[in-house]
Amino acid sequence: MGEPSLRVPAPPSGAPEAVDRWVEAVRRLTDPARVHWCTGSEAEAAELTAAMLASGELERLNEERFPRSVLYRSNPNDVARVEQVTFVCTRREADAGPNNHWLAPDAAHRRMDDLFRGAMRGRTMYVLPYCMGPIDSPYARCGVEITDSAYVVLNMRIMTRMGSAALARIARDGSFVRGLHSTGELDPVRRFIMHFPEELTIKSFGSGYGGNALLGKKCHALRIASWQARDEGWLAEHMLLVAIDSPAGETHYVAAAFPSACGKTNLAMLIPPAKMPGWRVRTIGDDIAWLHPGPDGRLFAINPEAGYFGVAPGTNSKSNFNAYEMVRHDTIFTNVALTADREPWWEGLDGRPAIDWQGRRYDPSNGAAAHPNSRFTVSARQNPCYATEAELAAGVPISAIVFGGRRRTLAPLVYEARDWRHGVLVGAGVASETTAAAAGQVGVLRRDPMAMKPFCGYNFADYWGHWLSVGERLSRPPRLFHVNWFRQDADGRFLWPGFGDNLRVLEWMLDRVAGRASARETPIGLMPAREDLDLDGLALAAGAIDELLGVDRLAWRSELEQLAAEFDRYGARLPAALRAELNDVARRLG
Ligand code: SAT
Ligand code: MN
């Protein structure tokens, strides 16, 4: 027996009835000790933080060097997204597609409601209304997450526009995404992340980590939103968004899709190399973009998020100076290590760890000091290169969309799609070596179309068809590219320096957009010749650039065969135009 339920609090005035009714139903099911409606205020966050510090759930860091920052350690069995227990529960299995795990909605609700029954006894149930996107944007969408985790509240407050303003917008909109979350007992066999896109509902049980628990992020802004976007004629994508200012005074907006932990945050906060004075990259978003055909035939984007949940390891003043500066105050760190001075520490930083991510005295024989998927949660406004365009209700017009993956071989440094239709094939062909962002083996190649494999809330065949149809509505579509920063030589050394020097590749793309740069035809798409890229001052290994800009026809033929086999899984639902594009490339390869 848990604590008795203490009281039924009145919802804040202005809470729409539908929210109210749902909260009451959840309260009855989960039986919490108390209900807290989150306002999103500073005082509320300070109070929650103080309580978690007092209970030991959070630890204070070195206050002088990392003011108002805290460390959270998750259960060691709960450190990443769990794709094998993530489900899309549509009435018809085929609507979820071979790309998703599926359960019938009735069975899924039953299973989840059994888990949630009484799950919040003795706990506080937090009700947090949030808005994904600028609060006054027609493209923004709202949700309410109910959770028994104060850590989730603190993170969602940074990652979304959370609190009273969102509730007011829900009252105006009349609709919202329902997200129900409990950490449960953190038992891996009682852990499920279920999505009901037809009901705009998410139920997540048994995990307190990242995308499993911060329901505004992958669950709402990608899985549910991709479904809504298909119905409403837009795209919800796993993309960073940047403004790139050139020395000539032009600004271009670029969206880029990469799988988790492939450097989206680094690219979003790129610092130009010394050889490129006058260039500036400003961040609109580092993970998710919502893209809408605009009234003038261009594609407009907003970042639905308000903060970053970034990978800590590898972030340092050399790899990402802006990010390193950004996390030096008011930051929530999760599963990083500590130095003897109680500064957060992870692999790639100077100094030495004293305590590892599990709170043990650091011992190299236990593995890395910080968990490879350890994170920082930080408000976007702390970013030194924050782009204020992130607040624009109408979003920003996109000049280029970049797809990419982490591939030791095959995929060249950069190539451009011939047109939108070919670009959809290029995006659908993304494959990448797995990272620590998801539970499972690291470093194995898997197909990850548009970097959306874990996040597309419906059948990929329909999704590709939707991409094709969005393109048809754009009279001034962005150009589409594919990049690979991760090519290696036979000894495992990277062929391309990456980081700031990636701007050299972006420069070529923007010159293509402006009609200034030439490209050569290859079977897989349009590529720069070596002289089209500004390589001045780069110390590339001998032969590296030929490797980076080469097309190995034999290897590409086998790649296309694999892609064709992947497409076969979607049967007759696969858009004929996509198959035709693939056959076209195959023909060019000979
Ligand atoms: O855990 S999250 O899904 O939020 C991060 C990621 O995998 O990109
Ligand atoms: Mn991501």
Side-chain angles (χ1 to χ4, degrees):
M1 291 283 286
E3 264 178 61
S5 303
L6 298 182
R7 65 192 169 95
V8 184
S13 57
E17 241 185 83
V19 177
D20 204 14
R21 269 200 309 275
W22 176 57
V23 167
E24 177 54 20
V26 170
R27 189 193 65 77
R28 281 205 217 139
L29 176 69
T30 61
D31 197 22
R34 57 197 82 77
V35 179
H36 176 108
W37 288 77
C38 297
T39 62
S41 73
E42 278 207 25
E44 177 182 76
E47 220 171 277
L48 287 175
T49 304
M52 291 182 76
L53 286 167
S55 71
E57 284 169 279
L58 288 180
E59 284 186 29
R60 192 56 87 205
L61 297 172
N62 184 318
E63 188 60 32
E64 208 174 301
R65 311 267 269 282
F66 286 82
R68 299 171 302 281
S69 298
V70 291
L71 167 65
Y72 178 80
R73 293 197 187 95
S74 74
N75 189 306
N77 79 28
D78 182 33
V79 292
R81 277 183 295 100
V82 282
E83 294 173 11
Q84 63 292 355
V85 292
T86 298
F87 291 81
V88 169
C89 309
T90 45
R91 280 193 297 268
R92 281 185 303 260
E93 180 171 4
D95 290 343
N99 46 305
N100 280 303
H101 299 300
W102 175 84
L103 258 181
D106 283 354
H109 279 304
R110 244 180 286 121
R111 180 182 300 185
M112 296 310 277
D113 291 352
D114 283 347
L115 291 170
F116 275 105
R117 190 159 298 114
M120 297 189 189
R121 267 183 208 136
R123 303 182 184 180
T124 300
M125 176 173 119
Y126 300 95
V127 180
L128 51 114
Y130 62 87
C131 179
M132 303 308 292
I135 200 100
D136 56 349
S137 170
Y139 303 145
R141 293 290 182 274
C142 290
V144 176
E145 177 166 357
I146 297 180
T147 178
D148 56 9
S149 162
Y151 168 78
V152 165
V153 176
L154 292 177
N155 277 273
M156 284 286 284
R157 179 171 178 270
I158 295 174
M159 297 303 298
T160 72
R161 280 96 170 161
M162 187 260 264
S164 311
L167 197 60
R169 169 144 182 175
I170 290 170
R172 281 204 309 281
D173 287 356
S175 101
F176 63 99
V177 170
R178 291 161 162 78
L180 175 54
H181 169 254
S182 170
T183 51
E185 320 79 39
L186 298 175
D187 177 354
V189 304
R190 285 159 54 85
R191 179 175 292 161
F192 297 100
I193 326 293
M194 304 266 187
H195 304 73
F196 305 86
E198 288 147 327
E199 305 163 39
L200 302 186
T201 294
I202 305 153
K203 294 185 179 179
S204 165
F205 190 90
S207 165
Y209 203 84
N212 300 332
L214 313 179
L215 301 187
K217 198 173 180 51
K218 309 297 193 189
C219 298
H220 176 165
L222 288 176
R223 297 195 192 96
I224 300 286
S226 60
W227 179 284
Q228 282 184 295
R230 189 253 327 254
D231 288 350
E232 298 173 8
W234 50 283
L235 295 164
E237 296 299 324
H238 192 205
M239 291 177 177
L240 66 90
L241 280 173
V242 284
I244 303 179
D245 307 323
S246 78
E250 283 175 30
T251 295
H252 282 283
Y253 301 100
V254 173
F258 301 96
S260 299
C262 285
K264 281 205 302 298
T265 306
N266 287 340
L267 183 58
M269 303 179 70
L270 180 148
I271 294 183
K275 290 277 176 184
M276 296 181 73
W279 287 87
R280 187 140 193 254
V281 174
R282 294 174 295 115
T283 320
I284 296 174
D286 82 326
D287 197 36
I288 299 176
W290 287 356
L291 309 169
H292 287 256
D296 62 358
R298 291 186 294 177
L299 189 62
F300 284 78
I302 63 164
N303 170 18
E305 300 191 284
Y308 314 128
F309 183 65
V311 178
T315 305
N316 56 50
S317 54
K318 271 169 271 142
S319 67
N320 189 338
F321 181 82
N322 286 327
Y324 192 62
E325 285 303 300
M326 169 177 82
V327 301
R328 297 184 71 103
H329 64 99
D330 298 282
T331 299
I332 301 171
F333 292 94
T334 303
N335 290 345
V336 300
L338 289 176
T339 67
D341 293 338
R342 306 195 58 72
E343 291 189 30
W345 192 92
W346 49 81
E347 278 65 22
L349 286 184
D350 294 336
R352 278 194 312 166
I355 312 268
D356 76 5
W357 65 277
Q358 298 189 56
R360 304 173 298 194
R361 180 204 292 269
Y362 174 59
D363 174 350
S365 69
N366 285 332
H371 188 276
N373 192 37
S374 56
R375 300 274 173 159
F376 52 77
T377 317
V378 65
S379 163
R381 290 170 177 279
Q382 288 185 204
N383 177 357
C385 56
Y386 177 65
T388 51
E389 292 100 312
E391 302 296 328
L392 291 177
V396 295
I398 297 300
S399 297
I401 291 178
V402 184
F403 296 110
R406 183 184 281 274
R407 297 201 66 166
R408 277 177 272 250
T409 59
L410 187 79
L413 179 62
V414 60
Y415 62 100
E416 181 187 339
R418 265 167 258 282
D419 54 25
W420 181 276
R421 260 177 52 153
H422 177 222
V424 175
L425 176 73
V426 169
V430 169
S432 192
E433 287 140 20
T434 51
T435 68
Q441 207 185 334
V442 167
V444 288
L445 188 76
R446 78 162 179 182
R447 305 228 70 94
D448 193 351
M450 279 79 172
M452 283 286 278
K453 168 69 188 67
F455 307 123
C456 184
Y458 63 104
N459 191 318
F460 257 151
D462 301 346
Y463 167 82
W464 295 321
H466 182 53
W467 261 84
L468 292 167
S469 79
V470 166
E472 278 159 22
R473 286 165 51 209
L474 300 171
S475 54
R476 299 155 72 192
R479 287 183 186 244
L480 276 52
F481 298 87
H482 187 286
V483 300
N484 178 18
W485 315 133
F486 300 96
R487 276 292 285 272
Q488 292 175 18
D489 67 14
D491 300 319
R493 279 180 301 249
F494 286 108
L495 289 171
W496 178 252
F499 300 108
D501 288 309
N502 292 338
L503 185 57
R504 298 167 186 268
V505 177
L506 291 165
E507 181 184 14
W508 176 74
M509 293 180 195
L510 297 185
D511 283 342
R512 292 287 302 159
V513 167
R516 283 189 294 258
S518 52
R520 64 197 166 92
E521 289 264 354
T522 81
I524 61 166
L526 304 161
M527 282 173 68
R530 137 207 306 264
E531 21 339 312
D532 296 321
L533 288 176
D534 177 3
L535 303 174
D536 187 32
L538 274 190
L540 296 179
I545 201 69
D546 299 324
E547 277 276 292
L548 285 164
L549 297 178
V551 177
D552 177 343
R553 281 173 186 253
L554 209 61
W556 268 102
R557 260 182 247 151
S558 118
E559 172 80 4
L560 281 200
E561 275 163 29
Q562 287 169 46
L563 184 55
E566 175 71 16
F567 283 173
D568 286 343
R569 295 174 58 212
Y570 295 86
R573 239 162 139 134
L574 188 84
L578 197 59
R579 176 73 70 181
E581 284 294 331
L582 184 134
N583 291 341
D584 250 18
V585 177
R587 194 176 32 74
R588 285 195 206 101
L589 281 164

